[in-house]
Amino acid sequence: MTGWTWEYEGYAPADERLRESLCTLGNGYFATRGALPECAADDVHYPGTYVAGCYNRLTSEVAGRGVENEDMVNVPNWLPLRFRLAGGSWLTPDGTPVLDHRLTLLTESGMLERRTRYDLGGGQVLTVRQQRVVHMADPHLALLRTEFTAEGFAGTLDVEAALDGGVTNAGVPRYRDLDGRHLTHVHTGTADPGTVWLRCRTRTSDIRIGMASRLTADAPVTVRHELPCAVQQVSLGLAPGRTVTVDKTVALHTSRDPAISDPLYAAVDRVGRAPGFDELLESHLTAWDQLWRRAALDVAGEAGSILRLHLFHVLQTLSPHTADLDVGVPARGLHGEAYRGHVFWDELFVLPYLNLHFPEVSRALLRYRHRRLEQACTAARQAGRKGAMYPWQSGSDGREETQQLHLNPRSGRWLPDHSRLQHHVGSAVAYNIWQYCEASGDMEFLHTKGAEMLLQIARFWADSAVYDDRLGRHRIKGVVGPDEYHEAYPGARTPGLDDNAYTNVTAAWVLTRTLELLDALPEPRRRELVERTGLDGGELEVWEDVSRTLHVPFHAGVISQFEGYGDLAELDWDGYRRRYGDIRRLDRILEAEGDSVNRYQASKQADVLMLGYLFSPAELRFLFDRLGLRLDDETWHRTVDHYLHRTSHGSTLSGLVHGWVLARARRGEAWKYCQEALQGDIADIQGGTTGEGIHLGAMAGTLDLVQRGLTGLETRGGALWLDPVPLPELSSYGYNLRYQGHWGVRLHLERGRLEITVPSSDATPIDVRLPDRAVSLAPGETGHLVLPD
């Protein structure tokens, strides 16, 4: 990696899946993995293309029972372009000797380049150079330019380009027992001599997909249709040292798109009107340049290069085009089929970054949740609860998509999956609403859709709380926390844990903030809300009581992850590391041994410590004070130490949260975990999972670590609050942000000094708060502030 460029030298089949994920190109509407166009899907290559929000539901027979799953669909493959010398075999790096192979991801320009030199024998070499773009200015276009150069020979090169509608969802080995045939009714045709089309639909969601491809070369293009493919052919004359070029331009539409009548017509029309490669590339580069200006990030060295890669993939999944779509945050981006493209709580790590750069995207993602509020209320009623119970995994319509069974690859057993009990996802939705409105100043959203969601989430928590006379406190029972390892008490017949500290404290926060909001609403709007929801004063009194009396368990002077956690056995961590080496997925190891992680004080990822990720030290103390509990620095530091030594870090989010928390609790150890978060996908530290899709929450979280974690940045009360914690390994950095109508506010920190520049505009001054002073900066002003030691 050098600055903005990621380069892979040599062809390594074992690394192809990882490279394909990390070299995915997208624009927020769709994305295509970085597979080689001449290679079909097999155990080495997987050329998937995914459209945001395009899901389909199928039922499969698993372990003797019907299991229903909804998946983000692998849509028809637009990439195929293969080549051979006339009369010869098709060339691929798996079947033809390769002299040189280089794959280069140009993040600044959103382009993937490849250069391969094929050894054809007898001193004959064919050099293939390709430039690939998924267009950032026009979200329905993709481009592939291929240049062929002969060395030491002359002859005829046959080239075939195709649209392939025979694809399936087969990118995750542990899902292969599930039905992955999502496409049906595949038809192909010819629009004009240089353009072919393909149309199909999903099997149950009935989403119609239209795709059109234009092939341009200095030779006649012929067409043949071999269902499920539309194939274009061209024969090119090769001469030593002379380069010949083939351009493939593709348009993609679905019936979910606004302002079209038919996706096939729209695709054919769009590709017909599209200009040539060079002109399209120019507008694509302009679009990326604008994105990079809005999200400018100045971090030196290796960390800076990795952060720019992370930002690149965040913007490819959630771009300004996302603001026009009804989509959520797919946990693995648009980069692969892991987690089936579902929406989890990962937006908790993504939206805080987007809020300060692309608030229109954050608003759209929150509207995805609001459109599914009715479904969340229905789920709560079916569970015997009031309010809104958002699903742990969401897809097209907001119903619970969490699988009933999951496969342990170590034991080969299908096991019950109880992760749907992670009701804390509702608190994540509420937190994101609050953070977005504080950062953007969007009071209209807060008073309307935001208030409606907050009210119903608060109502769910209040109704879930049960008063315990013995404790004199309210309790929330039968849940699963962020740790995910612990789903039940040892030997229990039913799943669920009582009084997960993270769940209870965040529930108290939701109730507190919602009460504040209801009190601050304009009276006409408050009346509307009360009338629509049947809210009454008695219910608000219950909320107030529950928000102050939720039980938070302690043991041995630390916050307990849940009631009874301190009674669990200690694990022989050193022994398991000696036996297995990598114990990140300790749950799978123990299950394969016939044991259960439910028996041990062992966590997959941060659970209690997530409280230190979401809340500043001052806000966390406020929440505990409100609950009538004491949380001093000594207790918090003991809690951090306790869980630090009992966490296996089986999630890419774990290093991120621990680095964030340790930056304030134990600075000397923070960088180790920050490094793990940075390396999570590029080094594939979870052991092969990145090849199935990047970890979007962890990538966005590393950006937010620089933006908010290390600066102590909070947006509250109409001010920017800053309390930086310098790390020796990252002592100088800067970035732009957008804050309440101010575009391009520039923050730069270096050696105990903070510089803030507010660009000229007609907006009001920004109120900046530091621990020891307050500063007001008007548009056009720059503040130079010396930070306290």
Side-chain angles (χ1 to χ4, degrees):
M1 55 184 175
T2 54
W4 295 84
T5 301
W6 286 78
E7 198 164 86
Y8 294 99
E9 288 277 1
Y11 178 67
D15 295 335
E16 275 301 288
R17 291 291 180 99
L18 174 62
R19 294 180 181 185
E20 288 173 359
S21 284
L22 293 176
C23 292
T24 293
L25 297 182
N27 55 26
Y29 174 78
F30 80 99
T32 298
R33 289 168 57 84
L36 298 176
E38 66 265 36
C39 296
D42 56 22
D43 290 337
V44 175
H45 311 279
Y46 195 69
T49 293
Y50 310 95
V51 178
C54 183
Y55 291 98
N56 187 64
R57 189 180 306 277
L58 296 174
T59 299
S60 308
E61 190 74 18
V62 177
R65 60 192 284 192
V67 175
E68 185 179 271
N69 285 293
E70 185 176 67
D71 291 77
M72 182 170 67
V73 176
N74 181 19
V75 302
N77 183 15
W78 66 270
L79 266 183
L81 190 143
R82 60 182 183 172
F83 38 87
R84 65 183 176 186
L85 295 183
S89 300
W90 298 109
L91 305 181
T92 72
D94 302 301
T96 307
V98 172
L99 298 175
D100 300 296
H101 179 71
R102 178 181 299 167
L103 199 62
T104 305
L105 180 65
L106 303 168
T107 58
E108 189 172 23
S109 55
M111 180 186 292
L112 180 63
E113 291 187 348
R114 68 80 67 99
R115 183 177 182 274
T116 306
R117 297 179 69 234
Y118 282 108
D119 184 357
L120 306 181
Q124 300 180 8
V125 175
L126 179 68
T127 298
V128 181
R129 179 174 181 263
Q130 290 180 320
Q131 294 176 299
R132 184 190 310 179
V133 162
V134 173
H135 210 269
M136 187 54 82
D138 186 330
H140 299 281
L141 289 180
L143 319 171
L144 178 65
R145 167 165 283 182
T146 307
E147 297 174 341
F148 301 100
T149 306
E151 300 176 36
F153 75 100
T156 300
L157 186 74
D158 293 334
V159 178
E160 282 192 359
L163 300 177
D164 181 6
V167 300
T168 64
N169 276 50
V172 180
R174 61 188 175 279
Y175 298 167
R176 286 180 182 169
D177 288 345
L178 306 175
D179 191 349
R181 296 171 294 112
H182 291 284
L183 302 179
T184 187
H185 293 89
V186 178
H187 300 276
T188 63
T190 304
D192 60 50
T195 302
V196 295
W197 55 260
L198 181 150
R199 72 179 178 204
C200 60
R201 61 181 63 207
T202 55
R203 285 172 61 189
T204 60
S205 57
D206 202 31
I207 298 171
R208 291 172 291 128
I209 300 166
M211 189 176 281
S213 174
R214 183 182 71 201
L215 198 69
T216 307
D218 289 332
V221 176
T222 60
V223 174
R224 74 176 192 273
H225 295 283
E226 298 177 349
L227 286 177
C229 297
V231 182
Q232 296 169 289
Q233 302 166 295
V234 63
S235 294
L236 304 172
L238 296 178
R242 186 170 71 89
T243 297
V244 294
T245 301
V246 176
D247 286 342
K248 184 178 185 180
T249 306
V250 174
L252 169 61
H253 277 276
T254 81
S255 55
R256 298 182 77 247
D257 297 346
I260 67 167
S261 60
D262 171 65
L264 177 59
Y265 174 85
V268 171
D269 177 64
R270 187 173 296 274
V271 84
R273 290 186 288 107
F277 183 92
D278 292 333
E279 188 175 341
L280 283 170
L281 181 60
E282 184 177 348
S283 58
H284 169 78
L285 295 176
T286 299
W288 267 109
D289 185 55
Q290 292 170 351
L291 290 181
W292 288 120
R293 287 204 304 268
R294 287 178 63 178
L297 178 68
D298 181 18
V299 177
E302 180 185 73
S305 294
I306 297 172
L307 286 166
R308 280 188 287 273
L309 178 72
H310 288 183
L311 178 53
F312 176 71
H313 285 300
V314 170
L315 293 176
Q316 291 195 122
T317 307
L318 302 167
S319 78
H321 298 300
T322 307
D324 295 326
L325 306 177
D326 176 31
V327 297
V329 177
R332 304 300 284 273
L334 300 174
H335 297 61
E337 294 162 14
Y339 300 166
R340 301 182 178 86
H342 290 171
V343 177
F344 293 69
W345 73 325
D346 297 68
E347 62 204 59
L348 187 62
F349 303 88
V350 177
L351 264 66
Y353 177 80
L354 295 176
N355 292 341
L356 292 165
H357 301 278
F358 303 95
E360 71 277 20
V361 178
S362 291
R363 181 182 172 113
L365 296 170
L366 291 171
R367 291 202 66 191
Y368 167 87
R369 292 297 193 180
H370 182 262
R371 291 187 185 99
R372 289 149 185 83
L373 177 60
E374 181 181 357
Q375 181 66 46
C377 291
T378 298
R381 282 195 302 274
Q382 291 172 344
R385 294 279 182 265
K386 298 178 182 177
M389 185 174 76
Y390 276 97
W392 175 238
Q393 296 187 31
S394 181
S396 60
D397 61 9
R399 76 181 85 171
E400 179 63 78
E401 301 293 352
T402 301
Q403 63 270 23
Q404 300 168 29
L405 300 172
H406 68 268
L407 176 68
N408 181 354
R410 279 188 174 270
S411 68
R413 286 188 285 266
W414 287 90
L415 307 167
D417 191 316
H418 302 301
S419 58
R420 66 185 61 231
L421 296 178
Q422 293 191 69
H423 301 319
H424 62 81
V425 66
S427 294
V429 174
Y431 183 87
N432 281 328
I433 294 166
W434 196 266
Q435 290 292 325
Y436 161 72
C437 294
E438 288 278 18
S440 66
D442 190 348
M443 291 300 102
E444 186 274 336
F445 186 87
L446 181 62
H447 290 171
T448 55
K449 297 175 176 63
E452 291 166 11
M453 288 187 281
L454 284 166
L455 185 152
Q456 297 293 5
I457 296 167
R459 177 175 268 169
F460 171 78
W461 285 131
D463 192 54
S464 298
V466 178
Y467 190 74
D468 187 308
D469 290 324
R470 181 181 60 84
L471 290 173
R473 286 189 169 273
H474 284 88
R475 308 182 67 186
I476 297 176
K477 299 183 177 184
V479 302
V480 171
D483 158 41
E484 291 187 331
Y485 273 178
H486 295 90
E487 294 183 328
Y489 287 102
R493 295 191 176 189
T494 56
L497 304 161
D498 300 338
D499 299 314
N500 172 257
Y502 174 82
T503 299
N504 285 14
V505 173
T506 55
W509 179 88
V510 172
L511 288 161
T512 301
R513 290 293 182 229
T514 306
L515 287 165
E516 288 178 9
L517 174 60
L518 290 172
D519 190 53
L521 279 178
E523 193 281 328
R525 174 55 185 154
R526 190 176 192 275
R527 181 179 176 183
E528 289 178 358
L529 202 58
V530 166
E531 290 172 348
R532 287 183 59 185
T533 61
L535 189 67
D536 60 42
E539 193 172 359
L540 295 180
E541 289 177 6
V542 172
W543 294 11
E544 179 72 27
D545 185 34
V546 173
S547 74
R548 294 181 179 275
T549 59
L550 276 168
H551 178 48
V552 180
F554 284 75
H555 75 278
V558 304
I559 304 169
S560 296
Q561 187 169 307
F562 50 83
E563 185 64 46
Y565 175 89
D567 298 329
L568 301 179
E570 290 284 8
L571 183 79
D572 181 7
W573 290 90
D574 292 337
Y576 271 89
R577 288 192 177 98
R578 282 194 300 271
R579 289 167 60 189
Y580 292 98
D582 185 353
I583 60 170
R584 294 177 192 275
R585 289 312 305 265
L586 185 63
D587 57 332
R588 293 175 174 173
I589 291 171
L590 289 169
E591 192 278 330
E593 292 183 343
D595 202 348
S596 170
V597 74
N598 285 326
R599 296 180 55 234
Y600 301 99
Q601 294 186 38
S603 299
K604 174 185 175 183
Q605 58 188 327
D607 193 300
V608 173
L609 301 193
M610 273 295 301
L611 296 172
Y613 180 84
L614 292 189
F615 305 118
S616 68
E619 187 165 15
L620 194 54
R621 282 194 299 271
F622 163 77
L623 287 170
F624 273 74
D625 286 346
R626 201 170 190 280
L627 287 166
L629 301 170
R630 177 175 173 78
L631 182 65
D632 54 26
D633 289 345
E634 184 179 344
T635 302
W636 178 248
H637 290 166
R638 279 199 308 268
T639 300
V640 170
D641 288 341
H642 182 87
Y643 291 103
L644 193 62
H645 295 104
R646 292 168 176 81
T647 302
S648 70
H649 305 292
S651 163
T652 54
L653 296 172
S654 193
L656 166 68
V657 175
H658 282 82
W660 185 298
V661 171
L662 287 172
R664 295 192 179 275
R666 209 159 65 204
R667 196 174 305 173
E669 296 184 36
W671 188 246
K672 168 188 172 183
Y673 294 96
C674 295
Q675 278 282 81
E676 182 168 312
L678 289 169
Q679 295 285 333
D681 274 327
I682 64 168
D684 198 11
I685 63 173
Q686 294 295 330
T689 62
T690 300
E692 302 166 352
I694 55 117
H695 298 82
L696 192 69
M699 284 190 168
T702 59
L703 301 169
D704 201 34
L705 174 66
V706 175
Q707 175 178 270
R708 293 191 310 136
L710 300 184
T711 62
L713 174 63
E714 295 180 86
T715 55
R716 56 182 170 89
L720 281 178
W721 299 73
L722 292 154
D723 185 11
V725 283
L727 294 181
E729 300 87 350
L730 197 61
S731 58
S732 174
Y733 54 91
Y735 56 85
N736 288 359
L737 58 82
R738 181 174 162 191
Y739 173 68
Q740 295 195 358
H742 292 272
W743 291 60
V745 177
R746 179 72 177 169
L747 276 73
H748 184 80
L749 287 91
E750 185 167 8
R751 297 185 183 89
R753 299 182 67 87
L754 170 64
E755 181 179 288
I756 305 177
T757 300
V758 183
S760 298
S761 72
D762 61 355
T764 58
I766 295 179
D767 185 14
V768 179
R769 304 288 180 90
L770 296 169
D772 60 344
R773 83 203 91 155
V775 178
S776 179
L777 293 174
E781 291 185 344
T782 297
H784 301 273
L785 309 172
V786 177
L787 301 173
D789 295 330

